[in-house]
Amino acid sequence: MPDRHLMSGTQTGQTIWHRASAAAVADGPQTVLAVFTGRVTFANGEQGDYAGVETILMGDRAEPFSGTHTFLLADGSTCRQSFDGGVTRRVGDDRVSGTGEWRIISATGRFEGLDGGGPFTWSIEGDTYHAEFRAELDLT
């Protein structure tokens, strides 16, 4: 039986690579690609690793982002997720936070049988990332 506690918790990580494009028009938005990795701690106390990639449209207006990441448990169970959202607060270029939604794309092992997604909140200070997520899942 799928463990719903594996789909709520916190993530901490680091941006390990990013690249920004030049703005297509003067004072227009930039496209930023980022690769990140870190640890995830689930509501049941279990920990795992994650890695992912995202695209962010940085500008003066709403700054949307989207991407994917994969959770990996020590036993080899994986959960691949998509996410999207937007920046809701900016204090300089190195202190940013926002909200979003995540959704399961595929799952193996102990994640298998979980379906759905839910909301998350996140913040970045420098290259350090922190997120809190919770499940709004259907069990199949």
Side-chain angles (χ1 to χ4, degrees):
M1 174 171 219
D3 184 351
R4 292 178 62 89
H5 293 104
L6 289 175
M7 300 315 298
S8 294
T10 61
Q11 290 173 263
T12 56
Q14 296 287 313
T15 300
I16 58 173
W17 176 88
H18 74 280
R19 177 84 33 99
S21 71
V25 296
D27 296 325
Q30 286 185 299
T31 300
V32 178
L33 299 176
V35 176
F36 52 90
T37 187
R39 297 286 288 168
V40 57
T41 303
F42 298 103
N44 65 1
E46 186 167 358
Q47 293 190 330
D49 296 305
Y50 73 93
V53 62
E54 72 178 338
T55 303
I56 310 164
L57 188 61
M58 303 287 283
D60 289 338
R61 295 177 287 158
E63 297 176 334
F65 63 86
S66 63
T68 62
H69 59 231
T70 301
F71 292 160
L72 173 64
L73 299 181
D75 68 3
S77 298
T78 62
C79 184
R80 186 167 172 248
Q81 301 172 359
S82 65
F83 57 88
D84 58 36
V87 172
T88 58
R89 183 167 186 261
R90 175 177 292 282
V91 181
D93 286 338
D94 66 342
R95 292 182 62 202
V96 183
S97 60
T99 61
E101 295 283 328
W102 61 270
R103 180 151 199 80
I104 295 173
I105 298 171
S106 63
T108 66
R110 293 177 34 227
F111 291 105
E112 200 165 346
L114 292 172
D115 188 29
F120 71 96
T121 59
W122 59 272
S123 63
I124 296 175
E125 275 198 50
D127 285 335
T128 302
Y129 174 81
H130 177 81
E132 296 181 12
F133 60 97
R134 74 173 187 273
E136 293 176 356
L137 302 172
D138 299 321
L139 294 176
T140 57

